[in-house]
Amino acid sequence: QVQLVESGGGLVQPGGSLRLSCAASGYIFSVNAMGWYRRAPGQERELVADITSSGSTDYADSVKGRFTISRDNAKNAAYLEMNNLRPEDTAVYHCNLRGQRGYGSGLTSFWGRGTQVTVSS
């Protein structure tokens, strides 16, 4: 079973920076993409950033120009560099991995438990 563990969250002042990391463990046949989602209190979960195995990226409009997603394919790890943080970025950030459990199987989505990011003065 694939397990994802996030780290790097915390409390930061507006305008500050944080770097989130996601480490995947367990066997998976192939990884299609990894991404970061967030859920603020009382809000729906939303995509923050996504990166495919070939390096194509996608970002929520609200974070474009401030956040950068990257990954290490060899380690099945993903990172989210967050700059110029705003109070509205406050949320629990979850790592997501989509991949195949075995040859010919469909895509399965795995989730981490999340790491809290709080932006406040």
Side-chain angles (χ1 to χ4, degrees), residues 10-16 18 66-67 82 84-91 93 116-121:
L11 172 64
V12 64
Q13 292 186 342
L18 284 174
R66 300 187 299 125
F67 291 11
M82 305 187 294
N84 192 20
L85 283 160
R86 304 168 180 168
E88 53 263 39
D89 294 319
T90 295
Y93 285 69
Q116 176 71 46
V117 171
T118 302
V119 185
S120 174
S121 55

Side-chain angles (χ1 to χ4, degrees), residues 1-4 22-36 50-56 69-79 95-111:
Q1 179 72 4
V2 174
Q3 292 188 327
L4 303 177
C22 172
S25 62
Y27 175 78
I28 187 160
F29 177 73
S30 69
V31 177
N32 177 270
M34 296 185 73
W36 290 93
D50 192 77
I51 184 167
T52 68
S53 57
S54 62
S56 296
I69 189 170
S70 61
R71 63 182 283 184
D72 184 331
N73 290 337
K75 296 180 179 179
N76 284 338
Y79 310 94
C95 180
N96 172 260
L97 181 152
R98 298 185 301 284
Q100 292 178 290
R101 294 176 183 267
Y103 178 78
S105 65
L107 285 179
T108 300
S109 191
F110 301 92
W111 294 93

Side-chain angles (χ1 to χ4, degrees), residues 38-61:
R38 67 186 181 188
R39 176 174 285 166
Q43 302 291 322
E44 298 285 328
R45 183 173 61 194
E46 64 172 353
L47 171 70
V48 177
D50 192 77
I51 184 167
T52 68
S53 57
S54 62
S56 296
T57 58
D58 187 26
Y59 293 92
D61 287 342

